Structure formats: C-alpha cells, structure tokens
Amino acid sequence: PVAFRELLETLNDSAALVRFIDGSDLTVGAESKVLVDQFVFDPGSGSGNALISITSGALRFATGAMPKGKTVIDTPTATLTLRGTVVRVGVGANGETELVVDAGIVDSHNKFQNTDQDVPAGGSVTISSDGTTSGNGAIGDTFVDNGFGDDGNGSGGVEQRREHGAGNSKANNGPSNSGGGSSSGSTRGSRGN
C-alpha cells in the first residue's frame, strides 16, 4: 500500500507500477523521484482529488474514476491539471518538464512565465523557465514511453510482482482521508535489475 506523502523512488534500469483505488495507474520510470502528496477518493460519491509531484525522472499517469480536473501533477517548472487523461511526463536535471498527452486534455501552467496552455491528445510540449516550446512526443524512458505491461520491449510480460514476495495488494474500497489528504493504492508491479 502507498502511504500519505510517500516518496516513490526508482534506481537505474528499474521501474514501478502503482494502481490507486479509483483505477488510476502510475508508472514510474528509471531514476525517478515521485511524491504522492495527496490522493483522496470516495468510491461511493465518486469525489476526490490527487496531487502527485515529480522532481526528477519520468512517469506515465492514466486517470481512473477521479473527476476530471481533480488530478494535478506538479513539477519544478509546471503545474499540470489532467482532464480525462493519459500523460507522460519527464523532468530533466534543470527542472525542465517534457509533457506528452496520449489521451484527454492537460491544462499546463508554466510557473516561471505565469502562462497557461491547453495541450490536447497527441500534443507535446517542453516547459522550461525560459518559456514553452513544442515537444518531440517522446520522454526517453522505455517503460514510460512504451508501457510497463509489456516489460518495455513489447513482450507483454512483467518480470516481478510485489507484496511480501508475490501477488497484488488490494486497494481499500472505502473512502480514504487522513489529515487533509491521503493516498490509497496498491503496488501492482515493480522491476529492478
């Protein structure tokens, strides 16, 4: 289970996949640091909100039943609000953010320029302290660009599942809330070298 304000870190040539209670999937690429700042979701009412921060590395996030506009990914240079979305995000050593939108729409806010831009499905941008430019459509991490489920190489297999050695952990089916926010999820798989 993922705890409130848990830092998810991956090493070189590794990745992790986390599934949250609303069905959202978070793939964390190699050499990444991702903080689950807040994840609150009530399956009964369908209400909630999520805040995920990435300071370095790459991630893929596919929204689940969380209401549109209530999932935010924060980076050193951008605030990204997801609206029914599958996105890939990469953060470079200088904090520059690469955004690729595979589905849905993302409201992108450049923190330094104080500018906003809607990025539609199929769009990609680079968000830096100097401004926003068109991106190239790839993040550069195999598991983030190609998907974790195919082992990053099209094979369709994931090498290792984790919960005390094997199996999937089950998500809490009730509302999650703890001190203004909590995360509730399950670790679905992890791969290391």
Side-chain angles (χ1 to χ4, degrees):
V2 178
F4 172 55
R5 294 202 43 87
E6 180 164 2
L7 178 64
L8 307 174
E9 290 186 89
T10 53
L11 303 175
N12 184 36
D13 194 29
S14 66
L17 176 61
V18 178
R19 172 163 283 170
F20 292 95
I21 190 173
D22 75 321
S24 296
D25 283 329
L26 168 65
T27 301
V28 182
E31 299 184 78
S32 300
K33 291 184 181 180
V34 177
L35 180 68
V36 181
D37 288 297
Q38 183 175 40
F39 201 98
V40 179
F41 182 72
D42 181 354
S45 67
S47 63
N49 63 312
L51 175 60
I52 310 291
S53 298
I54 178 170
T55 55
S56 63
L59 65 78
R60 174 192 291 262
F61 196 91
T63 57
M66 188 72 70
K68 290 182 180 181
K70 295 295 185 176
T71 301
V72 175
I73 297 174
D74 190 63
T75 78
T77 58
T79 303
L80 310 171
T81 303
L82 313 186
R83 295 190 281 158
T85 315
V86 177
V87 297
R88 291 175 276 150
V89 178
V91 177
N94 62 356
E96 184 174 87
T97 301
E98 298 280 341
L99 168 66
V100 179
V101 181
D102 293 318
I105 298 174
V106 174
D107 299 326
S108 169
H109 176 76
N110 184 311
K111 294 179 179 180
F112 293 94
Q113 300 292 319
N114 198 27
T115 56
D116 297 304
Q117 176 181 0
D118 281 349
V119 183
S124 59
V125 296
T126 301
I127 305 148
S128 68
S129 58
D130 298 335
T132 303
T133 61
S134 294
N136 65 11
I139 297 301
D141 182 281
T142 303
F143 286 96
V144 171
D145 282 330
N146 297 337
F148 190 93
D150 66 5
D151 203 23
N153 62 14
S155 69
V158 174
E159 287 186 12
Q160 177 182 333
R161 301 270 182 202
R162 183 185 86 174
E163 182 197 348
H164 304 293
N168 291 340
S169 58
K170 294 182 180 178
N172 176 357
N173 289 325
S176 60
N177 189 2
S178 172
S182 70
S183 65
S184 179
S186 64
T187 301
R188 202 169 106 187
S190 62
R191 176 184 182 269
N193 49 348

